[in-house]
Amino acid sequence: MRIAFLGLGAIGAPMARHLAAHHDLIVWNRTRPVADAFAAGTGCAVAATPRDAATGADAVITCLPTSTEVAALLEGADGLLAGLASGSLVIDCTSGDPATSRATAERLAAAGVAFVDAPVSGGTNGAEAAALTVMVGGTAGAFARAEPIVRCFGKLVVHMGPVGAGDAMKAVNNALLAVNIAAFAEGFSVLAKAGVPAATAIAVLNASSGRSFVTEKLVPERVLTGRFPLTFRLSLLDKDVGIALDLARQLGLDAPVLDAAGAVAHGARADLPADADYLDIVQVVERRAGVQIRG
Ligand code: NDP
């Protein structure tokens, strides 16, 4: 198949690399040299504009920061809509918001183009290993068309419901991730002040009921080593918690725990550089507590 991929960021690039191994791939990136470097490594084609990328493509995949950038990419003389053929499919792997995805789906449907929201989880390591979880929102027909394509980088591919259901799932997942990071940082600051060594505490916690993906995987690899690599921007996590909170409000629900985690994530951004990683939240909580968890 002819596949176009737009958005070669931290997670988009490894996803696109797997597609290049199975399909006739053309890529577009806002910053052109990024696309040129990617093409040099994979042998795929580079499009000058979103329109050129979409022209002749059976499916177009987008992986941008938010749904707003995806919607904007449709428009204008060089936009996706100018190149997309009736009968083609847009797969949006952005961690988006359900309402904007529904509006995008309607805009595309008017041109005879199908749409699925298909955000992913598993991080950049999962993308490198083609082991992402892909949560798909759309019609059963659109899911059936998208599924073999996203299998190139996805291990668990699930049809969540209509357009927007994938975005909702992803936003809630990441809101729970934020809860677990904030809760870990606060709990382990307490333990550090109480004189309990972090390595001992993490071994006990991970054999006990307070454990999570954060404490089992992220903390040993990144916090206790002091590595704190940049793999997922904190601003993106903050955006995801915001989407979950907006959804809760639209549905008339109170979500005080998610709200508190969102406040921690959002507040941490004020103390960090713009490109900070999401786990840097831990360092902000440490600074405010006057401790270093790893000792
Ligand atoms: P990055 O910030 O690394 O990359 C963003 C990409 O979007 C870049 O290609 C960037 O282009 C492009 N872009 C930014 N703004 C625009 C715009 N206005 N118009 C066109 N292109 C634009 O983000 P990630 O790759 O980390 O994240 C992408 C999506 O995947 C997000 O929704 C994120 O929440 C989600 N995600 C990320 C994970 C991760 O571990 N990183 C994990 C799971 C989901 P340019 O090169 O020009 O800046």
Side-chain angles (χ1 to χ4, degrees):
M1 288 175 86
R2 175 78 160 175
I3 310 269
F5 196 102
L6 295 91
L8 298 168
I11 196 132
M15 289 161 66
R17 213 167 286 126
H18 294 298
L19 288 160
H22 295 95
H23 294 284
D24 174 14
L25 186 73
I26 183 163
V27 296
W28 176 86
N29 195 73
R30 179 182 62 172
T31 305
R32 170 78 189 234
V34 173
D36 290 337
F38 179 88
T42 58
C44 74
V46 176
T49 64
R51 174 193 176 147
D52 290 346
T55 302
D58 301 296
V60 169
I61 304 183
T62 44
C63 191
L64 304 182
T66 76
S67 296
T68 307
E69 284 92 28
V70 176
L73 219 60
L74 301 182
E75 309 301 335
D78 286 333
L80 285 175
L81 272 167
L84 281 163
S86 177
S88 59
L89 169 70
V90 171
I91 301 171
D92 181 22
C93 291
T94 305
S95 299
D97 72 87
T100 309
S101 285
R102 281 193 291 272
T104 294
E106 279 176 27
R107 182 101 176 90
L108 288 167
V113 177
F115 174 89
V116 293
D117 47 307
V120 301
S121 70
T124 51
N125 286 342
E128 298 284 354
L132 292 172
T133 297
V134 191
M135 22 206 131
V136 185
T139 64
F143 173 74
R145 291 170 64 193
E147 206 248 346
I149 300 171
V150 301
R151 280 250 169 246
C152 291
F153 49 75
K155 190 167 161 197
L156 177 65
V157 180
V158 182
H159 187 201
M160 303 303 305
V163 169
D167 288 337
M169 179 72 235
K170 174 68 189 177
V172 169
N173 178 76
N174 277 21
L176 300 191
L177 173 64
V179 167
N180 284 320
I181 293 169
F184 157 77
E186 291 179 6
F188 270 59
S189 293
V190 171
L191 289 175
K193 281 221 160 177
V196 179
T200 311
I202 205 76
V204 171
L205 187 84
N206 285 338
S208 306
S209 48
R211 67 187 185 272
S212 66
F213 173 76
V214 171
T215 63
E216 288 183 321
K217 193 97 181 111
L218 298 179
V219 169
E221 285 177 7
R222 303 183 183 200
V223 178
L224 298 189
T225 58
R227 276 181 56 234
F228 291 100
L230 171 54
T231 62
F232 176 45
R233 290 188 291 123
L234 173 57
S235 60
L236 294 173
L237 179 67
D238 184 23
K239 169 257 310 181
D240 293 333
V241 185
I243 293 169
L245 288 170
D246 282 348
L247 206 49
R249 268 179 227 113
Q250 286 158 22
L251 296 168
L253 297 172
D254 274 341
V257 175
L258 303 190
D259 217 2
V264 171
H266 195 73
R269 289 179 65 186
D271 288 5
L272 291 166
D275 64 347
D277 184 71
Y278 68 126
L279 269 184
D280 293 349
I281 289 173
V282 174
Q283 303 191 67
V284 173
V285 174
E286 284 177 321
R287 274 202 293 275
R288 288 182 187 161
V291 296
Q292 190 182 55
I293 287 169
R294 70 176 186 278

